[in-house]
């Protein structure tokens, strides 16, 4: 069977000999003018389960809220070591592959060439990966870690620390509190999350473009399950990927709606509340639907490039209008602080900073892992023709440096406003408002705040439409040209799930609970992927 090669190019030499053909288990047909081409039973089980989840949450909101809260506590407190240890393994494997002979393997075979230019490729990598999270946490997280670090540690009657400071804090030491706060913030947005994405993306690209298997999560497990991967073991893996993607996107949509709502309130005095956030979710979903129908090249690519341009303009403005000298001289120190504290921050066992490790890091890793099926598959779709070394350096290191710059500029400006100017509006504002409160102290507030709102909306649109494309690929058995109504279905349900969780089951906490609950089983999937990647690369001609 062949798959993953462009027309006119020879098939890669390392293709796997399997009797499976892409779409052989699919059900094709039409209902009136609406065509469908869906995998049986992945689409049916995934769709019915999501619909049942929505009905359960609407019918029993209090029971659902209590269940989600219990899930959140159980997973973050009981499996924090597992999330931290797994993420360390992903980073180590990526770094080893970069310097190993396997780095010379080309995704798609020796004759393959990239489908996108570097600027277009980098824009899509970054916009799909974590743009909306950086908008939400770029100011608030450095401020939070700085405040908790300078406040020092506190211990409860049971001998367990009750503060939220990372590591041993920096009680009373302002300069060290800044370094530790920035290091902890960068830690959550640099190497580890991008390594998670890189593992999934590399496995999908390798087994689709080089081995000729369908572009689905299950294909990466062929070295483990063999032909059984086309049966129920593979069905379960793909269904887990759909759930993780859907709830990861719904959480980000909830964050984006809350921040956009806060921004519109700040600029235009519009009310803040669940009904306004629902309207924003509907608006964002409608824009995403338009982009989804246009497809990868004309929809996602265009929006990603526009968004990266706006993000660069906003970051450049804050750098120039804010404490420029302070930021330029200290950004290198923040990077050094990150590298200095990295071993201690990534330590999975024996941690004293339990609130930080469980409430921050454990949640973040689960969130990135829940996003990894869709971000990884999306990266794989746009990365054909790159060598493994080029791929990993680009996916792992370059976005990490961009995240360092973003956190340093936005977080550093907010911290400078507190310690140098005595302006604490951003620090005391509610989480969705902190970005806009920071911009309030700079010139051209109305313009920059409006750009911020646009960025929040378009960042989610790029995530939503690329996520919908990926879920559709999984539920159509690896086909990348399935009928558009299927992508529309998944795009709509991302918005529906976000609305239901926000209104009926505890708001943001419910969204976070579903993210970590789906992230836990998928962490096991990613660990097995590491083994599959190594075996797959070992069998490649070099």
């Amino acid at each position: 069977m062949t798959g993953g090669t462009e027309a006119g190019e020879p098939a890669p030499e390392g293709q796997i000999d399997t009797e499976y053909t892409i779409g052989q288990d699919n059900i094709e047909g039409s209902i009136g003018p609406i065509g469908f081409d869906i995998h049986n039973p992945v689409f049916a089980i995934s769709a019915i389960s999501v619909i049942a989840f929505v009905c359960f949450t609407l019918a029993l909101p209090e029971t659902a809220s209590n269940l989600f809260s219990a899930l959140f506590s159980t997973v973050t407190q009981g499996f924090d070591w597992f999330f931290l240890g797994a993420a360390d393994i992903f980073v180590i494997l990526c770094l080893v592959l970069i310097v190993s002979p396997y780095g010379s393997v080309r995704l798609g075979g020796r004759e393959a060439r990239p489908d996108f230019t570097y600027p277009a490729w980098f824009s899509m990598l970054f916009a799909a990966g974590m743009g909306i999270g950086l908008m939400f946490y770029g100011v608030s997280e450095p401020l939070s870690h700085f405040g908790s670090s300078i406040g020092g540690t506190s211990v409860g009657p049971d001998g367990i620390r009750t503060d939220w400071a990372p590591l041993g804090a920096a009680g009373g030491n302002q300069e060290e509190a800044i370094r530790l706060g920035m290091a902890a913030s960068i830690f959550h947005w640099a190497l580890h999350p991008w390594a998670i994405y890189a593992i999934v993306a590399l496995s999908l690209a390798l087994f689709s473009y080089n081995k000729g298997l369908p572009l689905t999560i299950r294909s990466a497990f062929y070295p483990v399950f063999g032909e059984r991967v086309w049966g129920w073991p593979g069905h379960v893996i793909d269904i887990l990927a759909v759930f993780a993607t859907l709830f990861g996107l719904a959480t980000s949509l909830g964050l984006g709606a809350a921040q956009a709502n806060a921004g519109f309130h700040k600029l235009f005095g519009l009310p803040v509340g669940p009904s306004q956030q629902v309207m924003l979710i509907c608006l964002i979903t409608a824009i995403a639907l338009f982009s989804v129908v246009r497809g990868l090249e004309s929809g996602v690519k265009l929006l990603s490039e526009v968004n990266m341009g706006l993000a660069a303009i906003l970051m450049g403005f804050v750098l120039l209008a804010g404490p420029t000298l302070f930021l330029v001289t200290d950004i290198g120190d923040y990077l050094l602080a990150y590298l200095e504290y990295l071993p201690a921050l990534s330590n999975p066992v024996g941690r004293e900073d339990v609130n930080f490790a469980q409430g921050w890091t454990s949640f973040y890793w689960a969130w990135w892992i829940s996003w990894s099926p869709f971000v990884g598959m999306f990266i794989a779709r746009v990365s054909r023709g790159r060598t493994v070394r080029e791929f990993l350096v680009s996916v792992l290191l370059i976005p990490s440096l961009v995240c360092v710059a973003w956190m340093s500029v936005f977080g550093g400006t907010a911290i400078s406003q507190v310690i140098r100017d005595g302006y604490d509006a951003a620090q005391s504002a509610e989480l969705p408002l902190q970005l806009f409160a920071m911009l309030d102290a700079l010139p051209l507030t109305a313009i920059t705040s409006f750009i911020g709102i646009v960025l929040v909306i378009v960042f989610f649109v790029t995530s939503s439409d690329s996520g919908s494309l990926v879920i559709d690929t999984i539920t159509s058995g690896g086909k990348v040209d399935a009928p558009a109504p299927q992508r529309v279905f998944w795009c709509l349900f991302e918005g529906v799930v976000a609305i239901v969780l926000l209104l009926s089951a505890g708001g943001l906490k419910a969204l976070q609970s579903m993210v970590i609950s789906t992230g836990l089983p998928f962490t096991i999937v990613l660990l097995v992927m590491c083994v599959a990647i190594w075996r797959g690369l070992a069998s490649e001609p070099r």
Side-chain angles (χ1 to χ4, degrees):
M1 187 208 80
T2 60
T5 60
E6 292 292 312
E9 288 187 0
E13 298 173 35
Q15 286 209 345
I16 290 174
D17 184 18
T18 175
E19 296 179 359
Y20 185 85
T21 56
I22 296 176
Q24 73 173 32
D25 295 326
N26 283 21
I27 301 174
E28 299 182 51
S30 62
I31 302 175
I34 301 175
F36 59 86
D37 187 354
I38 57 177
H39 184 279
N40 179 40
V42 173
F43 181 93
I45 294 176
S46 301
I48 292 170
S49 299
V50 170
I51 294 170
F53 171 84
V54 168
C55 294
F56 162 72
T57 307
L58 287 174
L60 301 169
E62 187 173 345
T63 302
S65 180
N66 293 335
L67 175 61
F68 299 153
S69 180
L71 282 172
F72 186 86
S73 300
T74 300
V75 176
T76 54
Q77 295 174 16
F79 294 92
D80 55 325
W81 60 271
F82 181 62
F83 285 122
L84 269 67
D88 291 343
I89 291 172
F90 304 145
V91 173
I92 292 169
L93 177 60
C94 288
L95 296 177
V96 168
L97 289 176
I98 287 174
V99 299
S100 77
Y102 295 150
S104 62
V105 172
R106 186 173 295 277
L107 300 174
R110 286 182 286 191
E111 304 301 319
R113 292 296 176 264
D115 297 323
F116 299 97
T117 63
Y118 273 117
W121 188 42
F122 289 150
S123 296
M124 288 189 284
L125 292 182
F126 194 77
M130 54 179 59
I132 197 168
L134 283 175
M135 292 297 296
F136 196 83
Y137 288 108
V139 169
S140 62
E141 188 173 349
L143 276 177
S144 176
H145 296 328
F146 163 72
S148 61
S149 295
I150 202 169
T153 60
S154 57
V155 180
D158 53 1
I160 298 176
R161 276 176 53 178
T162 57
D163 64 274
W164 283 77
L167 303 179
N173 187 336
Q174 181 174 281
E175 290 302 316
E176 196 56 30
I178 295 174
R179 294 183 79 249
L180 180 56
M182 291 303 303
S185 302
I186 292 169
F187 171 61
H188 290 146
W189 295 87
L191 288 177
H192 283 74
W194 286 101
I196 291 168
Y197 293 159
I199 290 296
V200 179
L202 178 58
S203 64
L204 290 169
L206 176 66
F207 285 95
S208 176
Y209 301 140
N210 295 64
K211 307 300 184 184
L213 302 181
L215 189 63
T216 59
I217 303 295
R218 72 173 72 197
S219 293
F221 292 83
Y222 191 91
V224 179
F225 293 109
E227 289 294 318
R228 289 179 298 158
V229 81
W230 313 123
W232 275 104
H235 299 340
V236 171
I237 290 168
D238 279 349
I239 291 167
L240 279 175
V242 172
F243 292 160
T245 301
L246 191 69
F247 288 112
L249 286 167
T251 298
S252 298
L253 181 50
L255 292 176
Q259 191 172 32
N261 191 192
F264 281 124
H265 173 73
K266 183 82 174 176
L267 277 182
F268 308 114
L270 298 178
V272 175
S275 58
Q276 286 75 28
Q277 291 171 19
V278 168
M279 291 175 62
L280 281 168
I281 290 174
C282 293
L283 171 65
I284 293 170
T285 302
I287 299 172
L289 281 172
F290 176 74
S291 180
V292 158
V293 171
R294 293 195 66 182
L296 180 65
E297 181 71 30
S298 57
V300 180
K301 177 175 174 286
L302 176 64
L303 283 174
S304 297
E305 291 176 333
V306 168
N307 226 28
M308 287 304 295
L310 285 175
I313 290 171
L314 183 61
M315 186 170 74
F317 172 81
V318 173
L319 177 62
L320 295 175
T324 307
L325 184 62
F326 171 73
L327 296 175
V328 171
T329 55
D330 284 0
I331 188 170
D333 188 43
Y334 296 154
L335 180 57
L336 289 175
Y338 163 61
L339 297 175
E340 175 188 333
Y341 284 115
L342 181 59
L345 288 168
S346 57
N347 175 28
V349 294
R351 298 285 289 265
E352 295 182 4
D353 53 343
V354 287
N355 283 335
F356 175 81
Q358 295 175 357
W360 280 100
T361 306
S362 183
F363 164 68
Y364 263 132
W365 288 180
W367 191 13
W368 301 141
I369 288 167
S370 75
W371 265 49
S372 66
F374 110 77
V375 178
M377 186 173 290
F378 180 73
I379 292 174
R381 285 190 64 176
V382 299
S383 300
R384 184 182 169 279
R386 310 288 177 182
T387 66
V388 169
R389 184 173 295 111
E390 178 188 16
F391 172 87
L392 288 174
V393 168
S394 300
V395 174
L396 189 66
L397 300 182
I398 293 176
S400 293
L401 291 175
V402 174
C403 289
V404 170
W406 187 278
M407 283 290 175
S408 299
V409 169
F410 284 81
T413 298
I415 292 173
S416 174
Q417 290 174 347
V418 173
I419 64 175
R420 295 168 188 254
D421 306 329
Y423 176 80
D424 62 354
Q427 192 173 35
S428 57
E430 293 184 6
L431 191 61
L433 267 175
Q434 290 185 329
L435 169 66
F436 303 106
M438 183 273 288
L439 293 174
D440 237 358
L442 303 178
L444 305 175
T445 301
I447 295 175
T448 55
S449 295
F450 184 74
I451 291 175
I453 295 170
V454 172
L455 276 169
V456 169
I457 292 174
V458 182
F459 264 132
F460 182 76
V461 169
T462 56
S463 297
S464 179
D465 54 17
S466 55
S468 302
L469 288 169
V470 166
I471 294 177
D472 182 46
T473 301
I474 296 172
T475 56
S476 61
K479 290 191 174 181
V480 295
D481 56 352
Q486 294 172 203
R487 300 196 294 273
V488 170
F489 171 84
W490 291 114
C491 188
L492 285 172
F493 263 89
E494 289 161 19
V496 169
V497 169
I499 290 171
V500 167
L501 289 173
L502 276 175
L503 293 182
S504 304
L508 183 58
K509 189 73 172 181
L511 291 165
Q512 293 173 329
S513 301
M514 293 312 300
V515 161
I516 65 160
S517 301
T518 52
L520 179 60
F522 210 75
T523 305
I524 301 171
V525 171
L526 262 65
L527 288 170
V528 181
M529 268 186 181
C530 294
V531 178
I533 287 172
W534 195 266
R535 291 184 180 179
L537 288 172
S539 65
E540 277 293 298
R542 296 188 300 282

